[in-house]
Amino acid sequence: MYDIAIVGAGPAGLSAAIYAQRAGKKTVLFEAYTYGGQIINTPKIENYPGIKDISGFDYATGLFDQALSFGAEIVFEQVTAVNKSDRFVITTTAGTYEAQAVIIATGAKNRHLGLEKEEALTGRGISYCATCDGAFFKGKNVAVNGGGNTAIEDATFLSGYCSKVYVIHRREGFRAEEGSLQALREKDNVEFVLNATITDLVGEDKLSAVVVTDKLSGQKSEIAVDGLFIAIGQVPDNAVFSEIAELDQSGYVLSGEDCTTKTPGLFTAGDCRTKHVRQLVTAASDGAVAALAACTYIDKL
Ligand code: NAP
């Protein structure tokens, strides 16, 4: 029996664990894959207050060690159900656990293009993580799809050792910060393909080209590439909580800045909840808010 169970060991979940343990609550984190969430794939973080720059992996590892050093437990099992009676029962792929309060901190997963060969060619030229898989494409031609900070960071990273990097984006304007975009524009081996969407993938055993359709002219063209890095944002993964938490149309847990949900004792933190700014600092801050709210809830039981 735990005081607080946290689903997800990304920045929000790990921050919540630090606050919960320091408040004297017996805390467990459930994580299906590895600690750190998506930040683990970010080569360099430069906008976390108080840290000039750090890799996502080092940041996540430090946060993980910190949470464990305060006594939080981590269980590497996938949560398949959360039910509430007089307490919460958390079912995983390997067992059941009980807790007085639960924090959903499941983050989000990579959005897919939804193209026919996308799944089949994943790991055969298609990747969602440039820092994980970029090294396989040394000296080759690759494309990055997307116009946000992740896409621009990925393209910058890949331009360091790929022959050519195409940045394919569906419109003229970018969501990415202007500074990093400007630096990328100055690279000789980077070409921007704008107002273009990828409408087909070419290759049987491995990717050999992408077909792009110009949004303005409707014209299709083929770009020969060995690799395609898809960086078109994230989608939440909250279906398992749909009974005990209200989800919005996109699947995010409906919540305000107090991190509460429709079920007393159930809180949510980080990218998995409805919010305007999804940043590392807001995920960490949500973790603190949700953990302290869970402590107050338990103390009043
Ligand atoms: P994002 O900001 O949501 O950008 C997603 C990009 O993909 C957008 O340019 C979007 O185009 C495009 N897109 C979405 N769906 C598409 C589709 N079906 N087909 C083609 N293109 C599509 O996602 P992100 O870059 O992963 O960033 C997520 C959050 O993390 C953001 O808040 C970002 O600032 C933050 N982040 C921060 C840092 C940093 O501060 N160092 C690094 C990485 C990420 P439109 O623009 O046309 O909608």
Side-chain angles (χ1 to χ4, degrees):
M1 171 73 172
Y2 292 93
D3 292 319
I4 301 178
I6 300 168
V7 189
L14 289 167
S15 300
I18 291 169
Y19 273 78
Q21 279 292 143
R22 292 194 78 231
K25 303 295 186 228
K26 190 170 187 250
T27 303
V28 62
L29 288 145
F30 293 97
E31 172 55 58
Y33 306 104
T34 183
Y35 67 82
Q38 294 186 61
I39 200 68
I40 217 154
N41 301 323
T42 296
K44 197 170 169 186
I45 301 164
E46 288 183 321
N47 56 3
Y48 194 85
I51 302 176
K52 193 152 180 289
D53 76 63
I54 188 169
S55 75
F57 179 79
D58 287 348
Y59 172 80
T61 302
L63 188 55
F64 180 67
D65 291 345
Q66 193 180 359
L68 265 53
S69 75
F70 284 119
E73 291 175 37
I74 181 136
V75 173
F76 285 104
E77 291 169 18
Q78 184 167 2
V79 171
T80 54
V82 175
N83 296 297
K84 189 184 179 192
S85 48
D86 59 327
R87 59 189 60 173
F88 288 91
V89 177
I90 299 106
T91 309
T92 72
T93 38
T96 55
Y97 303 81
E98 290 182 345
Q100 305 208 67
V102 170
I103 299 173
I104 304 169
T106 45
K109 60 182 182 183
N110 295 314
R111 178 179 283 124
H112 289 203
L113 283 167
L115 294 173
E116 201 190 320
K117 291 185 180 170
E118 190 170 354
E119 306 305 322
L121 292 173
T122 295
R124 297 164 181 267
I126 292 183
S127 168
Y128 299 85
C129 177
T131 46
C132 317
D133 301 327
F136 297 122
F137 298 89
K138 207 170 183 175
K140 298 191 170 173
N141 293 349
V142 298
V144 175
N145 190 203
N149 278 318
T150 304
I152 299 311
E153 272 185 4
D154 286 358
T156 305
F157 179 71
L158 293 163
S159 69
Y161 49 82
C162 293
S163 290
K164 175 106 188 183
V165 179
Y166 296 93
V167 178
I168 302 169
H169 178 37
R170 65 181 176 183
R171 59 190 178 97
E172 201 89 32
F174 285 82
R175 286 174 196 264
E177 286 167 14
E178 190 50 41
S180 44
L181 195 51
Q182 194 48 44
L184 187 64
R185 283 195 178 106
E186 285 162 15
K187 306 244 179 199
D188 292 338
N189 62 341
V190 175
E191 184 176 329
F192 286 83
V193 183
L194 302 182
N195 294 312
T197 49
I198 299 178
T199 46
D200 208 357
L201 302 164
V202 184
E204 292 308 324
D205 293 338
K206 66 183 193 63
L207 183 76
S208 58
V210 295
V211 176
V212 294
T213 302
D214 187 292
K215 218 172 79 181
L216 307 176
S217 65
Q219 203 174 334
K220 286 183 192 291
S221 56
E222 212 171 280
I223 302 176
V225 285
D226 297 295
L228 168 64
F229 292 85
I230 299 172
I232 58 168
Q234 285 83 39
V235 286
D237 194 8
N238 293 324
V240 88
F241 311 109
S242 61
E243 301 270 301
I244 52 165
E246 208 174 332
L247 308 183
D248 76 358
Q249 278 186 333
S250 307
Y252 291 98
V253 179
L254 269 179
S255 176
E257 293 304 311
D258 60 1
C259 296
T260 56
T261 69
K262 72 168 187 181
T263 302
L266 180 71
F267 302 88
T268 181
D271 284 6
C272 66
R273 78 167 179 89
T274 48
K275 53 161 54 197
H276 289 299
V277 181
R278 291 195 171 84
Q279 290 284 305
L280 180 57
V281 68
T282 58
S285 125
D286 267 13
V289 172
L292 295 177
C295 293
T296 304
Y297 167 82
I298 293 169
D299 291 344
K300 285 184 179 164
L301 284 177

